[in-house]
Amino acid sequence: DKPESEFAYAAKTGFRVGTELVSGVAVGAALGYFLDKLFGTQPVLLITCLFFGGAAGFLNVYRFVKNESKNKE
């Protein structure tokens, strides 16, 4: 039961934040792409869902950082 090193904590946190951002954008892009194919509105829904996916990613990162700062105290 060794305590976690600062490098390991930073690497874990950075990977989590990056994953949250990329997954939000990727899911938004995929959803927009398939909705555009379904409705025939080529770039409109892709761009809209990409924006909302990015916003969801940032919101997830904000919640994670807020929770981590609460746990540090």
Side-chain angles (χ1 to χ4, degrees):
D1 286 328
K2 289 184 186 177
E4 186 176 48
S5 71
E6 291 212 19
F7 176 76
Y9 175 74
K12 180 178 73 171
T13 303
F15 185 73
R16 168 91 187 262
V17 167
T19 302
E20 292 285 349
L21 287 174
V22 170
S23 64
V25 171
V27 168
L31 181 65
Y33 176 78
F34 288 118
L35 287 176
D36 271 339
K37 288 288 186 182
L38 183 65
F39 296 122
T41 58
Q42 273 332 88
V44 175
L45 293 176
L46 174 66
I47 294 170
T48 303
C49 290
L50 193 65
F51 172 74
F52 284 124
F58 277 109
L59 181 63
N60 286 339
V61 169
Y62 173 74
R63 288 177 183 161
F64 173 73
V65 169
K66 188 175 174 181
N67 189 27
E68 286 294 311
S69 66
K70 186 186 292 186
N71 289 342
K72 283 277 189 182
E73 293 175 355

